[in-house]
Amino acid sequence: GKVSEESSRPARAPGVSTGPASGPPGRVLQPVSAEVFEKRRNRRNLLIAVAAVAGVTIAWFAYDRYTAPAEAAKSLDAGLRKLAVGGYVEATKEFDRTIRRQPGLTEAYYLRGKAHAGLLDWNKSLADLTVAVSREPDNPKYRIARGEVYLQNR
């Protein structure tokens, strides 16, 4: 006669699973309380959230670092245009932006110092021009501008 498919399988106890669905060999699953399960789930969710925040932060810093020089150049150019027409307040704001985006740009300190001098704010002007001179002591343009402001401030 015909052999049924069920009779060809090995017998097993009811409720006992065999095969791949029962988990990796040698690992025994143990029941856990709902409280322990909830703690583990919360910990996993927290780790996922921290990883997501870290990923977004890293991406933002990378984007900011990549775009900073271009943005600094735009604000420096805008500041130069405003300085040329006597818009000293607006020029100082643009140079502030430039310095925030690219703090190593000595020319921005020099130009902001010139804008502060245009506003007759001698102390701020002198401070910015001193930064420019300290960074590039051999630049005569920076030294002359600082000397002029120093004489005005006396």
Side-chain angles (χ1 to χ4, degrees):
K2 234 175 163 184
V3 177
S4 76
E5 199 175 305
E6 288 186 323
S7 65
S8 66
R9 288 187 184 161
R12 59 186 159 150
V16 174
S17 175
T18 60
S22 66
R27 184 171 178 193
V28 178
L29 299 177
Q30 296 179 356
V32 294
S33 69
E35 184 178 302
V36 170
F37 178 78
E38 185 70 23
K39 282 182 183 179
R40 287 180 183 169
R41 186 174 65 184
N42 288 343
R43 185 179 311 136
R44 184 197 70 219
N45 290 344
L46 178 64
L47 287 173
I48 290 170
V50 167
V53 167
V56 168
T57 302
I58 290 168
W60 182 82
F61 278 118
Y63 173 79
D64 187 56
R65 188 169 181 90
Y66 177 75
T67 60
E71 294 297 319
K74 285 180 189 175
S75 58
L76 184 72
D77 185 51
L80 278 168
R81 287 193 310 271
K82 291 173 182 175
L83 186 62
V85 296
Y88 301 120
V89 173
E90 296 85 5
T92 58
K93 290 178 184 175
E94 291 296 338
F95 297 134
D96 286 343
R97 266 190 219 101
T98 303
I99 291 167
R100 267 196 314 273
R101 302 299 279 164
Q102 201 168 0
L105 191 60
T106 305
E107 185 74 7
Y109 287 93
Y110 164 74
L111 293 169
R112 188 172 68 177
K114 297 286 280 182
H116 283 304
L119 293 169
L120 306 178
D121 191 342
W122 307 118
N123 290 330
K124 286 183 180 179
S125 178
L126 196 57
D128 281 339
L129 293 169
T130 299
V131 169
V133 169
S134 70
R135 289 183 176 189
E136 293 184 30
D138 295 332
N139 189 325
K141 176 173 72 171
Y142 300 162
R143 288 185 168 280
I144 291 168
R146 186 177 69 166
E148 290 171 347
V149 168
Y150 181 76
L151 289 174
Q152 291 293 329
N153 194 26
R154 291 174 66 198

